[in-house]
């Protein structure tokens, strides 16, 4: 095709927001990269091309100048404008090469697919979305005021900072964790992370060599499986019963494990609390085997039948427990702030590893949170949400008792943001069928099967059921959701 024909085919949209010179530039660049206009070819004079395209000469000049600046064109006054003869042959095939599929490395495949099984709800918030805090209860006006003050007055917050995190925030978190969770630490042992997910990724990379074994609860939090899998660890599913993780089973089947990931205060999704006997058993195993325990304390602030339980870390005398917490469940998920409490030597290594990944978490958000805690807003918010969540939990429990007691058996609900329910044995219901009908009726539920590790054996089986989140919804919304869930169960029963 002649160069005039190629240029005449340029589809310039005069109503588009993109300037005409930019559209012409893109068209010419694509033609050069694809080889349709070859190296050394002379382009039409600006006056000729502006007449051909019915645009101003300035539009053509601007497009040519941009292409010359980037090295696609060359020319001198009186001689004309040419496609650069110095472009390598590979460049002219770049457009075709861009469509080639280039494989990821094996490690890249693990990273890219690590979170494939983790469900992320999209669309409007609907009952019973799991593990969501009540955003309607958060004092956003207070937060905006505190944050605005930092943007107005603080220039120190705009530079680089230490990877371990904002020092005042670490001091305040240290005091809070000592008082509320019985955590034994100093501020130097705390590293601020971009949520608990980053904390688990960094710990997996630091503590496990490829091929080494680690314990993880099944059913359990699927987001925790990914970072350990990416690290090349052998992920060993451990069953959960009424006392929490079955430590004796794990020690018997995976005696060479180097790490155990556990949720002692509130297990997801079953809602059980690890007994003191099991906690001590887990600590003895870790000490005897020089292994690590990662304690995920993701929603421990919310205990509805008494004060929060002391952390496993507070019982540790051998320095083997690493405590991981998040602000996503207490404040709001988009904040993306979490923290790790680690033995001093590990905390220093963890901070250095975080610097490799993202240098440090956003400082203004950390400084705002520090002011939020120091001003008493954090403690007031926890008290307020604890009361509200207790009311919402009771509304769900009562509605389920009134409407679905013959079909659903409730699990423990003395802590957390969610309630686990099992289908009664007389109901031969399929979890996925129930969940599908629920979605069609406007209700979001998670099946308990979703939380089961695919590699787990029959010993990790869990009775079919659902996880229902209650913390983000008013009692009226929860009661209406139970009505919709009842209809979903009726539809599913007709499919049996």
């Amino acid at each position: 095709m002649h160069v005039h024909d190629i240029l005449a085919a340029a589809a310039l949209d005069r109503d588009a927001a993109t300037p005409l010179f930019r559209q012409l530039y893109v068209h010419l660049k694509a033609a050069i990269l694809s080889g349709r206009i070859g190296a050394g070819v002379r382009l039409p004079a600006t006056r000729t091309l502006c007449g051909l395209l019915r645009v101003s000469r300035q539009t053509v000049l601007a497009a040519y100048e941009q292409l010359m600046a980037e090295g696609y064109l060359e020319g001198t006054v009186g001689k004309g404008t040419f496609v650069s003869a110095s472009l390598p042959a590979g460049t002219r095939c770049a457009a075709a090469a861009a469509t080639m599929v280039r494989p990821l490395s094996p490690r890249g495949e693990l990273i890219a697919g690590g979170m494939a099984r983790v469900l992320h709800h999209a669309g409007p918030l609907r009952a019973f979305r799991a593990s969501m805090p009540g955003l309607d209860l958060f004092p956003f006006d207070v937060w905006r005021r505190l944050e605005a003050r930092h943007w107005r007055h603080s220039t120190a917050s705009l530079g680089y900072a230490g990877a371990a995190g904002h020092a005042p925030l670490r001091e305040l978190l240290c005091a809070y964790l000592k008082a509320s969770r019985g955590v034994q630490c100093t501020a130097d042992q705390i590293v601020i992370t971009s949520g608990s997910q980053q904390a688990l990724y960094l710990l997996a990379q630091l503590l496990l060599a490829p091929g080494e074994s680690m314990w993880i609860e099944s059913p359990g939090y699927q987001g925790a499986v990914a970072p350990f899998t990416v690290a090349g660890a052998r992920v060993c599913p451990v069953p959960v019963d009424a006392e929490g993780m079955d430590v004796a089973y794990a020690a018997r089947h995976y005696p060479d494990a180097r790490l155990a990931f556990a949720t002692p205060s509130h297990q997801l999704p079953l809602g059980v609390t690890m007994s003191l006997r099991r906690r001590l058993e887990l600590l003895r195993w870790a000490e005897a085997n020089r292994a690590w325990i990662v304690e995920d304390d993701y929603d421990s602030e919310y205990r509805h039948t008494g004060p929060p339980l002391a952390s496993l870390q507070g019982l540790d005398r051998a320095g083997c427990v690493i405590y991981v917490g998040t602000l996503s469940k207490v404040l709001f998920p988009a904040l993306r702030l979490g923290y790790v409490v680690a033995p001093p030597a590990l905390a220093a290594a963890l901070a250095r590893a975080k610097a490799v990944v993202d240098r440090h978490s956003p400082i203004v958000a950390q400084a705002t949170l520090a002011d939020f805690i120091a001003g008493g807003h954090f403690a007031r918010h926890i008290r307020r949400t604890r009361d509200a969540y207790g009311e919402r939990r009771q509304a769900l429990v009562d509605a389920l008792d009134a409407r679905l007691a013959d079909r659903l058996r409730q699990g423990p609900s003395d802590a957390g943001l969610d309630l686990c329910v099992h289908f009664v044995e007389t109901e031969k219901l399929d979890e996925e069928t129930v969940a599908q009908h629920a979605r069609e009726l406007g209700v979001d539920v998670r099946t308990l099967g979703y939380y089961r590790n695919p590699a787990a054996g029959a010993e990790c089986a869990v009775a079919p059921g659902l996880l229902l989140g209650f913390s983000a919804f008013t009692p009226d919304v929860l009661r209406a959701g139970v009505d919709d869930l009842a209809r979903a169960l009726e539809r599913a029963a007709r499919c049996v």
Side-chain angles (χ1 to χ4, degrees):
M1 184 181 291
H2 193 273
V3 66
H4 282 74
D5 297 327
I6 294 171
L7 294 173
L12 303 183
D13 184 355
R14 287 163 173 76
D15 296 324
T18 305
L20 290 174
F21 90 88
R22 190 74 187 177
Q23 296 181 48
L24 178 57
Y25 154 82
V26 169
H27 180 76
L28 276 167
K29 180 178 176 181
I32 293 169
L33 287 173
S34 67
R36 289 184 293 134
I37 301 179
V41 171
R42 181 173 181 169
L43 297 185
T46 55
R47 293 187 186 277
T48 302
L49 187 54
C50 71
L52 183 66
L53 298 176
R54 291 182 290 117
V55 296
S56 71
R57 184 165 177 253
Q58 187 57 43
T59 294
V60 178
L61 280 170
Y64 278 14
E65 287 171 359
Q66 182 66 34
L67 289 164
M68 283 184 177
E70 295 181 10
Y72 293 97
L73 302 181
E74 56 189 21
T76 56
V77 176
K79 291 188 177 180
T81 304
F82 299 83
V83 175
S84 176
S86 62
L87 289 177
T91 303
R92 296 194 292 275
C93 298
T99 64
M100 293 173 58
V101 177
R102 295 173 174 83
L104 299 175
S105 70
R107 180 180 176 82
E109 292 284 1
L110 285 174
I111 294 173
M115 296 289 279
R117 290 197 71 247
V118 180
L119 296 177
H120 300 283
H121 285 294
L125 186 64
R126 313 187 302 182
F128 300 94
R129 188 170 299 180
S131 303
M132 271 293 293
L135 300 182
D136 58 318
L137 302 172
F138 187 76
F140 285 105
D141 54 338
V142 174
W143 185 271
R144 281 192 293 267
R145 176 165 45 83
L146 294 174
E147 186 176 51
R149 186 171 66 191
H150 281 282
W151 287 119
R152 284 196 305 268
H153 302 301
S154 178
T155 56
S157 298
L158 302 182
Y160 291 110
H166 187 53
L169 175 58
R170 293 159 65 205
E171 293 282 356
L172 289 162
L173 282 175
C174 180
Y176 165 71
L177 293 171
K178 283 182 177 180
S180 68
R181 305 293 299 116
V183 171
Q184 302 301 312
C185 68
T186 65
D188 289 340
Q189 292 178 246
I190 297 179
V191 177
I192 305 298
T193 60
S194 298
S196 60
Q197 197 66 38
Q198 185 188 62
L200 297 180
Y201 177 81
L202 292 171
L203 290 171
Q205 297 294 325
L206 285 172
L207 303 179
L208 292 170
E212 288 188 326
S213 300
M214 58 84 59
W215 301 351
I216 196 162
E217 300 160 338
S218 181
Y221 172 50
Q222 291 304 295
V225 176
F228 295 108
T229 301
V230 167
R234 179 188 172 217
V235 176
C236 304
V238 180
V240 178
D241 59 22
E243 293 189 73
M245 173 185 275
D246 190 338
V247 178
Y249 172 94
R252 189 166 60 251
H253 287 79
Y254 318 115
D256 60 343
R258 304 304 307 146
L259 182 147
F261 174 84
T263 53
S265 296
H266 181 234
Q267 204 274 338
L268 182 74
L270 300 182
V272 299
T273 298
M274 184 179 281
S275 67
L276 178 59
R277 180 176 70 88
R278 288 274 176 86
R279 291 175 185 232
L280 295 176
E281 191 178 359
L282 181 59
L283 288 170
R284 283 195 297 270
W285 168 81
E287 182 176 1
N289 291 273
R290 297 180 60 81
W292 293 102
I293 301 169
V294 175
E295 177 183 12
D296 186 358
D297 216 25
Y298 65 101
D299 65 357
S300 59
E301 287 83 4
Y302 298 111
R303 187 166 178 81
H304 308 299
T305 57
L309 300 176
S311 65
L312 180 69
Q313 193 267 5
L315 296 173
D316 179 24
R317 297 295 177 267
C320 57
V321 177
I322 304 162
Y323 182 91
V324 175
T326 179
L327 281 309
S328 294
K329 302 296 186 276
V330 183
L331 303 179
F332 52 95
L335 182 60
R336 303 313 307 141
L337 288 180
Y339 51 89
V340 178
V341 180
L346 178 58
L350 185 65
R352 293 194 296 270
K354 178 173 170 60
V356 173
V357 175
D358 66 355
R359 192 67 179 262
H360 57 73
S361 297
I363 298 301
V364 171
Q366 294 185 62
T368 302
L369 177 55
D371 291 348
F372 191 77
I373 297 173
H377 307 293
F378 185 73
R380 282 192 291 275
H381 178 63
I382 290 177
R383 287 195 298 269
R384 182 187 181 196
T385 50
R386 189 179 289 144
D387 290 343
Y389 294 171
E391 179 187 3
R392 294 174 180 189
R393 163 190 166 272
Q394 194 61 52
L396 177 58
V397 167
D398 291 345
L400 290 170
D401 281 340
R403 189 75 195 271
L404 291 169
D406 59 333
R407 284 190 155 165
L408 298 177
R409 173 173 54 84
Q410 297 182 32
S413 63
D414 54 345
L417 313 178
D418 315 299
L419 172 64
C420 167
V421 295
H422 298 276
F423 304 145
V424 298
E425 293 181 2
T426 54
E427 295 277 357
K428 305 300 182 183
L429 297 175
D430 177 71
E431 289 180 333
E432 292 296 340
T433 302
V434 173
Q436 180 59 39
H437 285 302
R439 285 191 290 270
E440 292 170 358
L441 291 166
V443 178
D444 288 329
V445 297
R446 287 266 177 92
T447 66
L448 295 185
Y450 160 73
Y451 294 95
R452 187 169 181 269
N453 192 305
E459 61 279 356
C460 292
V462 60
L466 307 169
L467 187 68
L468 309 178
F470 57 78
S471 50
F473 310 100
T474 63
D476 286 344
V477 171
L478 292 168
R479 284 188 282 266
V482 170
D483 289 339
D484 291 331
L485 180 58
R487 286 192 285 273
L489 288 166
E490 289 168 5
R491 291 186 183 183
R494 289 196 291 269
C495 298
V496 175

